[in-house]
Amino acid sequence: MSASREKKSRQEQIASGYVDPKVARTAEEKAKARRSNMLYAVLAIIFVGVAAIAIISNSHVTERNAKAYTVNGETFTAADVNYYYHNAYNSFVSQNSGQVSYYFDTSKDLREQDCSFADGTWFDYFAQQAFHTMDQISALAQKAKAEGFEAKDAEEVALATDYSYIDSYAAMQGYTRAQYLKGVFGSTMTTKVFERNVRLVALAEAYRNAYMDSLTYSDAEIQDAYDADPTAYQSVDIEFTVFTYTAEADATDEQKAALLDETKETAQTALDRNAGGEAFDALAEELGGTYYHQSHASRSVYSEMLNWAFDDARSSGDTTVVPYGSNGYYAVIFHSRTINDYHPVSVRHILVDTEEIANSVLEQYLAGEQTEEAFGALAAQYSSDGNAASGGLYEDIALGQMVEPFETWCFDGSRQSGDTGIVETEYGYHVMYFVSTNPLEYWKVDAQNDLRSADYSEWIEALTEGIESEELSGMKYVG
């Protein structure tokens, strides 16, 4: 491919919302290390959920340019703060879809509604989240600029990705880009303000990633991390069946308690009959339970069942009955606990609805250059998965992380870089591209990420410790 064609190809890919594979790979690699102190708003804007937009005729110049917040001398206008405030708000609404009315009335001023789990009003709650994000982003960006660090490519990719989503949703609902931005971020938002803050966030994120890239660890340090908490880097092989009850709407507490006791007895019956030689999965079907077998269950999710499974006292064949919340019981069989010494894999995929479309997309790929970059561009164009913008990339996949057919294809021992195929799962059809197998065992990858996360937390805390910030009168135009 000539240099001019390559440049044109990159421009077309960015224009369609495709993120350069190198940038995407870096971002995905850091994702697992972002367990604390992560930038709340970084490249995670919520663009959906705008059902109706009031087209506002006046320009709101006064409100938009009013000074609302400063961080170490850097001034943010009300429009700037609205970018972070509405992102915090929209994220909360998206994450609590269907339950928002339990927290506050979206039709009323949040300044007049007390927050149920924090001091102050709901406006105060989202404003404080915005301030926290702005403090970190501003501190990182200021340090990056002071050191002459630039991230122009990352900024362009961030803008192209965000605009690809905005333009798609705006078109579906009959709005212009500018109108949709106002619907998402408030009446003070303009494309200029939006782009300024997207670039600032992208610079901060790129600088943070560069710092995390600089963190390396010796084999001894990785081993020390493992020795300090071995079960964090192990998994268990367990079978379990969930038994639940359904009570009538007018059932009394006593009746519900009796039904709960019945599920416990059924769970124990399943274990007793399995000990007598009956198949556990068949018993689940007969007794009305739901059967699961997890050969690589991690300790990452808290539950009484996993606490029991990861106990050092466990031996192969141990069984137990433990509560499934307040609505039933688990019947559990323990088989083994092992270190995660397998090698994780990285793949790209394109999720589509039908086999016909999957075959068509794969044929399009095979008729082209057959590179990872070309596959990523197709993923950005066709995939309905949430990672389409990063070229459909899943990096360092762990066993047990994906649904079985997807995982089986990924961890086929014969798999080579560049392999393609089509896999059907409950979510649709996946056009697959195998990227690579990590030379490190998964427990080492996981331990390195934990070490990076801890070191980053310490670093960002020191960086933001002396921040001088101030709310200004323009905050009355936020929200």
Side-chain angles (χ1 to χ4, degrees):
M1 181 184 243
S2 67
S4 60
R5 284 187 61 205
E6 186 174 336
K7 180 178 180 181
K8 183 175 185 294
S9 176
R10 285 199 301 269
Q11 291 171 339
E12 291 172 345
Q13 290 167 357
I14 289 176
S16 69
Y18 172 62
V19 177
D20 181 84
K22 293 180 181 178
V23 177
R25 189 176 295 118
T26 298
E28 291 290 333
E29 184 178 5
K30 303 303 177 296
K32 294 177 186 175
R34 297 170 189 169
R35 296 179 182 174
S36 61
N37 291 296
M38 69 178 294
L39 305 182
Y40 185 85
V42 171
L43 304 181
I45 306 302
I46 305 298
F47 296 121
V48 296
V50 180
I53 297 174
I55 307 302
I56 303 170
S57 58
N58 57 355
S59 62
H60 292 274
V61 172
T62 300
E63 295 94 328
R64 180 167 63 248
N65 294 328
K67 298 177 181 180
Y69 192 66
T70 63
V71 182
N72 286 344
E74 180 177 10
T75 300
F76 291 87
T77 67
D80 292 322
V81 177
N82 268 322
Y83 173 88
Y84 303 96
Y85 175 91
H86 283 280
N87 186 42
Y89 171 84
N90 291 334
S91 296
F92 182 91
V93 171
S94 176
Q95 292 165 9
N96 294 278
S97 178
Q99 302 176 14
V100 174
S101 60
Y102 174 81
Y103 296 104
F104 52 78
D105 186 339
T106 57
S107 67
K108 295 181 180 178
D109 190 343
L110 293 184
R111 286 178 169 86
E112 300 174 358
Q113 302 182 62
D114 290 334
C115 183
S116 55
F117 52 79
D119 293 335
T121 66
W122 277 101
F123 171 83
D124 297 328
Y125 174 75
F126 293 123
Q128 288 303 315
Q129 289 203 16
F131 295 154
H132 176 71
T133 300
M134 294 166 71
D135 288 349
Q136 289 198 27
I137 289 173
S138 186
L140 286 165
Q142 288 175 10
K143 188 169 178 60
K145 292 173 182 177
E147 296 179 1
F149 180 90
E150 294 186 347
K152 299 299 183 185
D153 288 347
E155 292 175 20
E156 294 302 324
V157 166
L159 270 176
T161 301
D162 286 353
Y163 273 149
S164 70
Y165 285 116
I166 290 172
D167 292 344
S168 294
Y169 291 125
M172 283 190 291
Q173 299 182 34
Y175 302 121
T176 66
R177 175 186 287 181
Q179 290 168 350
Y180 199 81
L181 284 174
K182 289 182 184 294
V184 175
F185 297 107
S187 60
T188 61
M189 186 55 56
T190 66
T191 55
K192 184 177 180 180
V193 173
F194 177 75
E195 291 180 9
R196 177 169 69 237
N197 285 283
V198 169
R199 289 184 182 280
L200 186 67
V201 169
L203 172 62
E205 175 79 343
Y207 182 73
R208 189 190 78 127
N209 286 346
Y211 170 76
M212 295 186 75
D213 275 339
S214 71
L215 299 175
T216 58
Y217 303 93
S218 66
D219 289 342
E221 288 173 315
I222 294 172
Q223 186 64 52
D224 287 344
Y226 175 86
D227 292 340
D229 190 9
T231 60
Y233 310 106
Q234 298 174 348
S235 58
V236 292
D237 183 344
I238 55 176
E239 290 180 88
F240 58 97
T241 297
V242 182
F243 295 97
T244 61
Y245 73 86
T246 300
E248 297 293 336
D250 58 350
T252 65
D253 290 342
E254 290 77 11
Q255 290 171 325
K256 292 177 182 178
L259 290 170
L260 184 61
D261 287 342
E262 287 180 17
T263 65
K264 185 176 183 179
E265 292 173 4
T266 303
Q268 187 59 57
T269 297
L271 292 176
D272 292 341
R273 289 176 59 180
N274 173 255
E278 296 184 63
F280 198 43
D281 55 350
L283 285 167
E285 183 175 357
E286 177 189 336
L287 298 174
T290 304
Y291 169 83
Y292 300 91
H293 181 194
Q294 293 189 0
S295 56
H296 287 87
S298 72
R299 200 195 65 181
S300 59
V301 178
Y302 173 81
S303 75
E304 189 172 342
M305 176 176 67
L306 288 174
N307 285 344
W308 174 84
F310 276 96
D311 192 297
D312 286 337
R314 289 286 74 74
S315 297
S316 180
D318 283 357
T319 63
T320 192
V321 171
V322 294
Y324 174 68
S326 59
N327 199 41
Y329 279 88
Y330 291 105
V332 193
I333 304 173
F334 176 84
H335 293 297
S336 64
R337 190 179 83 205
T338 57
I339 186 173
N340 294 323
D341 57 0
Y342 59 88
H343 295 264
V345 300
S346 298
V347 303
R348 292 181 184 272
H349 85 127
I350 303 169
L351 178 61
V352 296
D353 292 334
T354 68
E355 186 176 11
E356 181 181 5
I357 297 174
N359 283 321
S360 176
V361 173
L362 181 56
E363 288 172 6
Q364 187 175 338
Y365 167 76
L366 294 175
E369 297 175 345
Q370 297 188 31
T371 63
E372 182 181 346
E373 288 75 12
F375 190 93
L378 289 173
Q381 182 178 357
Y382 292 111
S383 183
S384 61
D385 193 22
N387 70 348
S390 64
L393 180 65
Y394 282 116
E395 211 161 28
D396 288 331
I397 296 172
L399 285 169
Q401 180 181 341
M402 301 298 188
V403 290
E404 187 175 349
F406 192 104
E407 179 177 292
T408 299
W409 190 93
C410 293
F411 283 93
D412 185 321
S414 65
R415 201 61 65 216
Q416 298 292 319
S417 295
D419 283 358
T420 58
I422 295 176
V423 173
E424 182 184 5
T425 73
E426 60 195 273
Y427 301 103
Y429 290 84
H430 307 256
V431 184
M432 307 292 295
Y433 179 96
F434 189 81
V435 177
S436 63
T437 299
N438 196 317
L440 288 180
E441 295 97 326
Y442 184 72
W443 75 267
K444 292 182 179 180
V445 173
D446 213 14
Q448 282 189 121
N449 285 335
D450 285 344
L451 290 168
R452 282 196 180 100
S453 179
D455 286 344
Y456 172 76
S457 296
E458 184 177 340
W459 180 73
I460 193 65
E461 183 177 348
L463 185 64
T464 58
E465 187 175 15
I467 276 182
E468 295 182 2
S469 60
E470 181 183 4
E471 294 182 49
L472 304 177
S473 61
M475 280 301 298
K476 63 177 172 285
Y477 301 123
V478 173

